[in-house]
Amino acid sequence: MIDRDVEQGERRPPAGRAHRFRVPTLLVLVALIPVLGMLVAVVSSTQRLERERQAAERLQDETVELTRLIDARTAVGMEEVASAVVVIAAELGVTPAQLEEMFGHDYEADLREARERVDADPLLQSSPRLDRIVVGLELLRPRIDAGDASFEELLEITGAAREELEEAWAARVRAHTARALQDDLPGAVQVRFQALTGAFIVLTSAADRALLTEVAITRGTTPELLSRLVDATGAYRTLVDAFVPRLGPKGQAAWEALVADPATARFQTVLETTLEELLAGETPSLAGDPYTFGTAFIDGPRWAKALDATATAAADDLTDLAAKHARDATRAVRTQIALTVVVAALSLVAALALGRSVSRPARRLSGAAHQIQEGRFALEPLPETGPRELAHTARAFNEMTSTLAAVERHAVALADDVDDPVLREELPGRTGRALQVALNRLRHTMQVAEERQAELRQAATHDGLTGLLNRAAAFEVLSRDLLRADRGAGTVVGLFVDMDSLKQINDRYGHAAGDDALRLTAEALREATRASDVVARLGGDEFLVAGLLGPDEVPGGDVAHAEELAERVRAAVAGKVVAVGDGEVVPLRCSVGIALAGAGSTAESLVSEADAALLEAKAAGKDRAGWSSAHAARRAGR
């Protein structure tokens, strides 16, 4: 209720003398409205600038990660080039010492430097998949040094590393693109990011182009190889035209240095000339002559390093621009805060001065406003007394009070149930109609947000292609099952499932057929397992099946149940075929590694043992299920 002491102490003038006087100084009150609006705008602007600063800092972190990918991709490419020189020379009967004598260049030093760069690259050592590829490369190195490694073996390993790094790059770019829709960064920053993306793609397409040209010269050409070379050359030319204008100052300088370098120009001419000869159906002029071939390709590493320098410079440009934007946003935030403090102080001084002349009506408004703030809307109407402006304000306040009471009902209903019938009632007054629109929009936004949350939960825990659990979600459920098993609920069995022919399907029939094969494999795993079992895609063509086996659940014990489950999974996959067109189908096959959890087992150790069993099953001939030798040793020791 309104303060009655104030009301009772109030003395009304006689009717004949009643008047509402104007106080010129009260006009300042009108100025408070734009001042308050300015304060709101300043706060909003400060929040926006802070978001921009945080977005710029995130972009700096992303650029660091992308630069690491560029460094790793370059390291792999350098070892691939240096190793290819030694391998091809060995096939032609030329030793590294003879190469140095022929061309006056220490190729063995290049190879050592390239290997050291790969071994020291933190990204190549931190990823399990890349680490396995690097281990394979390390195993091949002694054979390269001995001169009995083939060019094809080298390309298989380095090609896998390049593909993995390019997939990681694409994933980073997709993540940035999705975030860029929310982070309102300036267009110049986005242009620099596009330049960096283009530089990396130019780097990879250029490497593909040089490699395909080298294969065509040393191994001969095929229609497929020529088609890939034409595509790589066309992609390189198109991307260069697109990304060079977007480069920043450092990127432009690096690119201009590349273009002006006679060595890179010579190597570019070699690539162009060889392609023209191949398209004309001629044997490349560099084929069959090791000295001429070596002389032509001696500038290749310098060309590749110049491209890498351009990509790295593009990353530096993006980092510099993001850092500048972060600094500018920080300065602007400080300026806005200082301005807010000054405006707020001035407003407070003005309000105190005006309060002395309009204290009683202001106290009534303040008391009523506090009750509104506390959520009590059942107020007696304010007297429409005092200066004309305050009288009009009291009238508007009375109208707003009734509107707020209705809004409260709508807000409570909205918090409890977005489909409450109360929300279909019209709010009173002009302000009520405006609030009605806002509430309706909020209601729709809440409904959309609930739907988006459900979609995000699904995307965070499931593989997008197969619909199975992803690795993180699978390990979380598996860890819970292991805890239950430790409390005596049973034994956890784990199966590591790997498709036997996905690469061949992808290579021969395309990735669409490979995706069908993955989906059919996931379908087979679901059909062969219980609803309570963990069925997940770990990545690529690797799957996990795990489940908690209750005490005395299956006659024959845990081992028999695990073997029966593994065979059921293998048979289910073998019962699927992929349609590849024209009535042709390709049967699917898989290998299965089996593991049983023991005391103290973790999700990682159980999957690791099943993975080891899978490798032994594949080594024994594929399309089979088996235990690891470690499991056999444990059983023999019982």
Side-chain angles (χ1 to χ4, degrees):
M1 301 295 289
I2 298 175
D3 189 353
R4 289 297 182 183
D5 294 336
V6 174
E7 288 296 313
Q8 291 172 1
E10 185 176 290
R11 293 289 183 268
R12 294 186 179 181
R17 297 175 56 189
H19 66 278
R20 293 192 178 97
F21 57 88
R22 295 176 179 271
V23 179
T25 57
L26 292 181
L27 293 176
V28 179
L29 186 61
V30 178
L32 285 178
I33 297 176
V35 168
L36 292 175
M38 179 182 176
L39 289 174
V40 171
V42 167
V43 171
S44 176
S45 177
T46 302
Q47 292 173 341
R48 176 182 58 79
L49 289 170
E50 176 62 18
R51 288 194 298 270
E52 289 183 7
R53 185 188 65 80
Q54 294 174 355
E57 291 179 348
R58 283 195 298 272
L59 182 59
Q60 288 179 274
D61 294 337
E62 290 174 359
T63 307
V64 171
E65 295 300 321
L66 293 175
T67 303
R68 293 179 62 197
L69 283 168
I70 292 173
D71 292 341
R73 175 65 178 80
T74 303
V76 171
M78 288 298 129
E79 180 163 355
E80 180 181 60
V81 171
S83 299
V85 171
V86 175
V87 169
I88 293 173
E91 292 178 350
L92 297 173
V94 180
T95 67
Q98 291 171 328
L99 278 177
E100 182 177 358
E101 183 178 350
M102 291 170 64
F103 302 110
H105 185 78
D106 190 350
Y107 291 97
E108 289 182 302
D110 287 348
L111 186 56
R112 286 194 301 272
E113 180 184 352
R115 289 175 177 177
E116 290 171 359
R117 182 168 180 177
V118 167
D119 294 341
D121 191 282
L123 181 61
L124 295 174
Q125 313 303 323
S126 63
S127 167
R129 292 176 63 85
L130 285 171
D131 186 54
R132 286 199 293 270
I133 295 171
V134 172
V135 169
L137 184 58
E138 291 172 349
L139 294 175
L140 187 63
R141 287 172 180 174
R143 294 181 54 206
I144 293 174
D145 296 339
D148 61 355
S150 70
F151 189 50
E152 288 72 17
E153 289 176 301
L154 173 65
L155 292 187
E156 181 178 356
I157 293 177
T158 55
R162 284 187 279 105
E163 182 178 351
E164 185 71 20
L165 289 168
E166 288 164 15
E167 288 179 0
W169 176 275
R172 286 279 182 188
V173 171
R174 286 195 298 270
H176 168 81
T177 302
R179 210 165 24 249
L181 297 175
Q182 301 175 354
D183 294 342
D184 188 18
L185 290 171
V189 175
Q190 299 298 347
V191 169
R192 290 288 186 274
F193 187 85
Q194 292 170 4
L196 175 58
T197 303
F200 182 83
I201 299 174
V202 165
L203 179 64
T204 57
S205 63
D208 291 343
R209 182 186 179 198
L211 182 63
L212 291 169
T213 302
E214 187 174 5
V215 172
I217 294 172
T218 59
R219 292 293 190 275
T221 187
T222 64
E224 180 184 0
L225 186 146
L226 181 58
S227 176
R228 291 173 58 193
L229 179 56
V230 170
D231 291 343
T233 302
Y236 175 83
R237 292 170 178 170
T238 301
L239 289 168
V240 164
D241 291 339
F243 98 97
V244 169
R246 293 187 172 91
L247 288 172
K250 293 181 179 178
Q252 287 284 357
W255 180 257
E256 290 170 3
L258 181 152
V259 173
D261 189 347
T264 61
R266 284 195 301 269
F267 188 70
Q268 182 74 14
T269 301
V270 168
L271 298 180
E272 297 289 347
T273 301
T274 302
L275 178 59
E276 291 174 2
E277 291 172 344
L278 292 172
L279 290 175
E282 302 172 359
T283 300
S285 56
L286 301 177
D289 185 346
Y291 182 80
T292 304
F293 171 75
T295 302
F297 270 75
I298 200 170
D299 296 321
R302 185 164 177 174
W303 179 67
K305 289 180 180 179
L307 287 170
D308 173 54
T310 301
T312 303
D316 291 341
D317 282 327
L318 179 57
T319 301
D320 293 345
L321 189 58
K324 178 181 181 300
H325 185 63
R327 291 193 300 270
D328 291 345
T330 300
R331 284 196 297 269
V333 165
R334 292 172 180 171
T335 302
Q336 295 280 27
I337 292 174
L339 180 61
T340 301
V341 171
V342 172
V343 171
L346 292 175
S347 300
L348 179 61
V349 171
L352 290 174
L354 291 173
R356 293 179 181 178
S357 61
V358 291
S359 58
R360 183 174 294 175
R363 282 199 301 269
R364 287 199 297 264
L365 284 170
S366 176
H370 280 299
Q371 294 187 61
I372 292 294
Q373 186 179 27
E374 293 170 359
R376 291 180 288 169
F377 302 126
L379 305 178
E380 290 184 2
L382 291 174
E384 298 177 14
T385 58
R388 182 179 302 174
E389 293 82 358
L390 286 177
H392 291 167
T393 302
R395 183 181 308 137
F397 191 93
N398 291 334
E399 294 176 359
M400 184 58 69
T401 301
S402 63
T403 300
L404 288 175
V407 169
E408 181 185 36
R409 293 195 302 273
H410 279 63
V412 171
L414 186 62
D416 294 336
D417 182 8
V418 295
D419 295 321
D420 194 305
V422 171
L423 297 172
R424 290 191 287 272
E425 297 177 1
E426 294 292 334
L427 293 175
R430 179 179 177 183
T431 304
R433 288 192 295 273
L435 289 171
Q436 183 77 56
V437 173
L439 286 172
N440 287 341
R441 290 177 179 173
L442 178 59
R443 177 186 176 192
H444 175 70
T445 300
M446 291 173 66
Q447 291 171 329
V448 171
E450 290 176 356
E451 296 171 358
R452 293 292 182 270
Q453 287 178 349
E455 294 173 359
L456 289 174
R457 284 194 295 271
Q458 175 73 12
T461 57
H462 288 73
D463 175 56
L465 177 64
T466 63
L468 299 179
L469 291 176
N470 59 27
R471 185 185 190 92
F475 272 53
E476 182 178 350
V477 178
L478 183 54
S479 297
R480 290 201 295 267
D481 285 347
L482 288 168
L483 288 175
R484 293 174 58 197
D486 288 342
R487 293 195 293 268
T491 303
V492 176
V493 58
L495 304 180
F496 201 112
V497 182
D498 187 89
M499 298 176 66
D500 289 336
S501 57
L502 180 62
K503 185 177 186 304
Q504 291 81 356
I505 293 174
N506 280 330
D507 291 345
R508 185 171 180 181
Y509 303 107
H511 286 281
D515 290 346
D516 289 341
L518 289 169
R519 282 190 285 266
L520 287 168
T521 299
E523 181 182 311
L525 297 183
R526 291 193 194 96
E527 294 170 354
T529 55
R530 303 172 299 182
S532 60
D533 290 336
V534 175
V535 182
R537 182 186 178 198
L538 300 182
D541 57 355
E542 296 175 345
F543 297 85
L544 173 68
V545 174
L548 181 64
L549 178 62
D552 304 323
E553 183 173 336
V554 176
D558 301 341
V559 172
H561 173 77
E563 291 176 348
E564 186 274 334
L565 175 59
E567 180 57 29
R568 190 163 69 245
V569 166
R570 189 201 63 77
V573 174
K576 301 293 183 180
V577 295
V578 179
V580 294
D582 297 331
E584 183 181 356
V585 297
V586 176
L588 298 182
R589 296 289 184 270
C590 72
S591 299
V592 184
I594 315 172
L596 284 174
S601 290
T602 63
E604 291 77 8
S605 65
L606 180 64
V607 173
S608 178
E609 182 174 343
D611 188 12
L614 169 69
L615 293 176
E616 294 185 22
K618 279 188 170 289
K622 300 184 180 180
D623 191 20
R624 62 183 64 207
W627 301 87
S628 69
S629 55
H631 171 80
R634 285 198 302 272
R635 290 185 58 81
R638 290 181 179 175

